[in-house]
Amino acid sequence: AALPGDDAVPAIPTAKKAEVMLFKNGAASLSPLTNDAFHCVCETLKVDGHDPRLKTTLDRMQNTKLFQEIKQKWKENALLMDVDEVVDKLQACDVPCAKVHSLADLPEHPQVKAAELFQHATHPVMGEFIEPRPAALFSVTEPRISDAAPTLGQHTDIILEELEMDDEISELKELGIIQ
């Protein structure tokens, strides 16, 4: 336990592990837990963080209402800014942050491409599409998805035959119950 006058910094209840902020062209996750990181975020997002009640982590913990107001201003200003420019500036200050990528952008991300996490496949109805490859990689077995999802009614006859309903298939089709 820390005693008054100790240099230990208690846990930070006012800070989440990471905060996701929306920008005019995307989103980013950032985690400004140090004093330098906090002040870099304030400067980058054009919010005055020079109030002495915000100088240190302990100050921000003791002034949570003011700290929350500053974070709200960060969010408001972020909506008017370019996500890539902000992330570049924050990373230059060693603020833990990263751009949040959309699902549609993932297959073209350099790290995802280098790891070959997506593969091309063909479906009889949908045509060409991209899908995640199986997660496990083995030294001998090539990762692949075995079959495309079946089309509507594709296996109906086979299943009904296995259920010994061969005689009813024609009638069920005539009634429009199966395809």
Side-chain angles (χ1 to χ4, degrees), residues 4 11 34 41 43 45-47 54 78 111-112 149 153 163 168 174 176:
T34 67
V41 172
E43 183 178 324
L45 296 178
K46 302 181 183 344
V47 174
L54 300 170
Q111 184 175 355
V112 172
L163 294 171
E168 300 173 45
E174 286 175 21

Side-chain angles (χ1 to χ4, degrees), residues 75-176:
K75 292 177 183 180
E76 291 168 7
N77 289 0
L79 290 170
L80 306 173
M81 302 174 96
D82 181 90
V83 67
D84 295 308
E85 291 175 11
V86 170
V87 167
D88 287 346
K89 288 178 182 177
L90 295 178
Q91 287 177 344
C93 296
D94 293 326
V95 175
C97 64
K99 182 177 179 178
V100 176
H101 295 278
S102 72
L103 189 57
D105 293 339
L106 283 182
E108 296 305 315
H109 187 278
Q111 184 175 355
V112 172
K113 285 178 94 167
E116 298 177 346
L117 296 177
F118 286 89
Q119 63 188 20
H120 291 270
T122 305
H123 187 272
V125 175
M126 289 177 41
E128 270 292 310
F129 66 99
I130 298 174
E131 65 184 342
R133 68 156 166 77
L137 293 177
F138 302 102
S139 59
V140 178
T141 307
E142 184 71 24
R144 65 178 185 84
I145 303 293
S146 56
D147 292 315
T151 58
L152 181 64
Q154 181 177 341
H155 299 126
T156 303
D157 289 0
I158 297 167
I159 293 169
L160 292 175
E161 288 168 6
E162 286 180 9
L163 294 171
E164 298 180 5
M165 297 177 66
D166 309 41
D167 300 338
E168 300 173 45
I169 293 175
S170 295
E171 182 182 347
L172 291 171
K173 284 184 180 181
E174 286 175 21
L175 293 171

Side-chain angles (χ1 to χ4, degrees), residues 3-17:
L3 300 174
D6 283 351
D7 290 335
V9 177
I12 307 168
T14 58
K16 297 176 185 174
K17 290 180 181 159

Side-chain angles (χ1 to χ4, degrees), residues 8-85:
V9 177
I12 307 168
T14 58
K16 297 176 185 174
K17 290 180 181 159
E19 180 115 21
V20 175
M21 288 192 177
L22 299 177
F23 292 82
K24 69 179 180 182
N25 60 335
S29 173
L30 53 131
S31 187
L33 297 178
T34 67
N35 296 327
D36 288 342
F38 169 79
H39 293 290
C40 178
V41 172
C42 285
E43 183 178 324
T44 302
L45 296 178
K46 302 181 183 344
V47 174
D48 182 8
H50 292 97
D51 188 309
R53 296 171 294 170
L54 300 170
K55 185 175 182 180
T56 68
T57 302
L58 191 56
D59 293 332
R60 291 187 292 279
M61 288 174 56
Q62 292 171 345
N63 295 286
T64 56
K65 184 176 181 209
L66 179 59
F67 181 50
Q68 294 304 321
E69 289 171 7
I70 292 294
K71 287 173 52 174
Q72 183 58 39
K73 289 177 185 175
W74 287 353
K75 292 177 183 180
E76 291 168 7
N77 289 0
L79 290 170
L80 306 173
M81 302 174 96
D82 181 90
V83 67
D84 295 308
E85 291 175 11

